[in-house]
Amino acid sequence: KMDERGTPHTRDNTEPVSDAQFTEGMIISIAVGTFYTINAFLPVLVWHRYRKAEINAITGNKMYKFAWQMLYSLHFLAFLPMALLWPLTYLGSAVIVDFYDSANWYVGSLAAGVIFGNVTLAFFLAALTYSETTVVTGGFIWLEALLYAALEASSWYVSIWEYPKAHRQFYYSLRVEEPEDDEDQNEQQEGPAEDSALEQIDSVFEDESAGEDDLDGEDAGDGGLDFIEF
């Protein structure tokens, strides 16, 4: 990954980040990896577990069958490598992270955009050309198409626009400790000052008490001498 001057990002030339920024970058990295995992496995699971028997039983409506076959096959082939590579990025290897960065751009951004666009188009065409059956209604296909478009648009957005934060603020982050709040520092500074002031006041009272005791002692001594002289 290069910066605006064409220099590879490392911990030495990356701006320091706070704990909050580091946490944000980590969450984004988890979100991107989760999207890849869902995109790789969920369509295959849904197809074989819930949709395959029903869709294959439909006579005609070839575009709907083609849309589903395109969905689960392309998603599995394109996103499985990314889903498997994602956990390895937490091993701390710059080679793996750099490769993941490149794959995220070419697979997660460019190739994914082509896949999402074609699958969405196939589902919309399937909904427009669908002949009603007792198995699946045209409204249900529209719902599938809109749901797919919304989910994949959010996934694509995170991969393109949010992932750079994971790169800068997490994978290649230079964490710095945040300074304590001014209020905490003032309290810490005021604490010893207050203790010192109290000690000074106590010492003044002690000095005054000692002085009064000395005066009382002198008065008592004078009274005794007068009594003896008398």
Side-chain angles (χ1 to χ4, degrees):
K1 190 74 174 180
M2 303 288 183
D3 60 14
E4 62 276 4
R5 294 174 296 180
T7 304
H9 277 158
T10 66
R11 287 186 173 85
D12 296 329
N13 62 14
T14 303
E15 294 183 0
V17 298
S18 63
D19 289 339
Q21 291 173 319
F22 179 84
T23 302
E24 180 187 24
M26 180 181 63
I27 292 174
I28 292 173
S29 74
I30 295 173
V32 172
T34 303
F35 276 133
Y36 283 137
T37 304
I38 292 174
N39 277 314
F41 295 105
L42 185 61
V44 176
L45 176 63
V46 172
W47 167 256
H48 288 285
R49 181 66 179 84
Y50 301 102
R51 308 298 296 143
K52 181 179 179 179
E54 289 185 352
I55 294 175
N56 286 337
I58 299 175
T59 57
N61 295 306
K62 294 182 179 180
M63 180 56 70
Y64 184 49
K65 295 179 183 179
F66 175 73
W68 260 104
Q69 291 169 353
M70 180 188 295
L71 168 60
Y72 80 82
S73 61
L74 290 182
H75 273 245
F76 186 75
L77 293 174
F79 299 115
L80 178 62
M82 299 298 296
L84 297 177
L85 182 62
W86 163 52
L88 302 180
T89 61
Y90 298 105
L91 297 178
S93 172
V95 175
I96 296 176
V97 172
D98 291 342
F99 181 77
Y100 187 71
D101 286 345
S102 299
N104 179 72
W105 172 248
Y106 290 106
V107 177
S109 301
L110 300 180
V114 175
I115 293 172
F116 297 158
N118 283 291
V119 172
T120 302
L121 178 61
F123 268 97
F124 280 125
L125 291 175
L128 290 172
T129 61
Y130 186 73
S131 300
E132 292 288 340
T133 66
T134 57
V135 179
V136 179
T137 63
F140 184 78
I141 298 177
W142 278 111
L143 180 61
E144 286 181 325
L146 294 174
L147 181 61
Y148 175 82
L151 291 176
E152 299 309 330
S154 62
S155 174
W156 199 52
Y157 170 81
V158 173
S159 297
I160 295 179
W161 301 106
E162 296 297 326
Y163 177 77
K165 294 180 182 178
H167 177 91
R168 285 193 314 271
Q169 299 174 196
F170 178 66
Y171 288 122
Y172 280 106
S173 64
L174 177 62
R175 295 179 70 180
V176 293
E177 294 184 359
E178 295 181 349
E180 296 181 357
D181 295 339
D182 294 339
E183 294 182 358
D184 295 339
Q185 292 181 349
N186 293 335
E187 290 179 358
Q188 292 177 359
Q189 293 175 357
E190 291 174 358
E194 292 177 355
D195 294 340
S196 177
L198 292 174
E199 291 176 358
Q200 292 177 359
I201 294 173
D202 291 339
S203 65
V204 170
F205 279 120
E206 290 177 358
D207 293 341
E208 291 179 354
S209 298
E212 291 177 356
D213 292 341
D214 293 341
L215 291 175
D216 292 340
E218 291 176 358
D219 293 341
D222 294 341
L225 291 173
D226 293 340
F227 176 75
I228 293 172
E229 289 178 357
F230 175 80

